[in-house]
Amino acid sequence: MTDIRNIVILTGAGISAESGLATFRGPDGLWEGHRVEDVCTPEALARNPALVHRFYDERRAKLAEVAPNPAHEALAALDSAWPGDLLIVTQNVDDLHERAGATRLLHMHGELKSALCAACGKAVAWADPLPPGSACAGCGAPSLRPDIVFFGEMPYDMERIEEALAQADLFVSIGTSGAVYPAAGFVQMARHYGARTLELNLDPSAGSSFFEESRLGPASELVPELVSDLLG
């Protein structure tokens, strides 16, 4: 690891599962008892806004019942101590990375504790229930929605992520399914630019074959070990 300076880390639902948060899509194909198509698409929001808003209100409230685990804490320690460039890109919409202390962080799929105005595009911090028709403080439109990137919408900060991947010496994927694009393609992009690639996962992912190395086990064990190796 002595030749590593710039690092990009991708985290998925597996890193938060050990804190008690349900993974995005369970073995039954449902997310917290709902079809993804019913709670995570623009069409679902238009068809049944009460259901979609209530679903994310429940997910937001759940955050008060969970805490960062050793994997989040290890990445925050790496964030604090790493002298080179570091970017943690999370697919998760929870706030566990922030609560652990990470700051070099992007939420590519949005955040539970944020509301987005569908009229003017302004995002604001939001910790309370968000009923349909809530007014935007910026433009006044009754158009606030969960600040979640639905299927069919463009993830946030893709240009910055791609720039970081182009400069990375090491790309690490933690707790991801390897099935949701564009994040699933980051490993191939990183390899194209010459980065070493490492996967940490409980089980092999759909993209395991693209990584130079895969380590299997709980994130709460594997991530602290990796950070210890990196920091020497």
Side-chain angles (χ1 to χ4, degrees), residues 35-52 56 145 148-153:
R35 294 193 316 149
V36 173
E37 295 82 0
D38 292 335
V39 294
C40 200
T41 65
E43 294 78 13
L45 181 63
R47 181 174 61 248
N48 194 341
L51 171 64
V52 173
Y56 291 101
R145 52 160 275 189
I148 303 296
V149 176
F150 293 149
F151 281 97
E153 297 178 333

Side-chain angles (χ1 to χ4, degrees), residues 35-203:
R35 294 193 316 149
V36 173
E37 295 82 0
D38 292 335
V39 294
C40 200
T41 65
E43 294 78 13
L45 181 63
R47 181 174 61 248
N48 194 341
L51 171 64
V52 173
H53 279 248
R54 184 171 67 251
F55 178 82
Y56 291 101
D57 284 348
E58 292 170 356
R59 308 284 77 72
R60 194 179 306 111
K62 177 70 174 178
L63 296 180
E65 303 173 13
V66 299
N69 65 55
H72 297 104
E73 293 165 354
L75 290 182
L78 181 66
D79 186 350
S80 175
W82 188 251
D85 288 340
L86 171 70
L87 182 63
I88 301 170
V89 180
T90 187
Q91 300 177 84
N92 299 335
V93 295
D94 62 64
D95 62 348
L96 295 179
H97 281 302
E98 289 94 332
R99 286 161 59 187
T103 59
R104 290 188 271 183
L105 174 70
L106 291 179
H107 282 269
M108 66 177 294
H109 290 160
E111 304 178 58
L112 285 169
K113 288 192 170 180
S114 178
L116 177 70
C117 180
C120 72
K122 179 180 176 62
V124 295
W126 199 276
D128 300 317
L130 180 66
S134 296
C136 172
C139 71
S143 303
L144 289 184
R145 52 160 275 189
D147 189 6
I148 303 296
V149 176
F150 293 149
F151 281 97
E153 297 178 333
M154 179 62 68
Y156 291 139
D157 296 303
M158 286 301 299
E159 184 174 341
R160 183 178 171 192
I161 294 168
E162 291 174 13
E163 289 174 354
L165 288 168
Q167 300 300 318
D169 302 305
L170 174 66
F171 171 71
V172 184
S173 175
I174 303 169
T176 70
S177 67
V180 178
Y181 284 82
F186 290 171
V187 58
Q188 293 160 285
M189 189 179 301
R191 291 190 68 168
H192 171 77
Y193 286 115
R196 295 165 62 178
T197 56
L198 170 64
E199 177 184 47
L200 309 181
N201 224 347
L202 192 60
D203 300 297

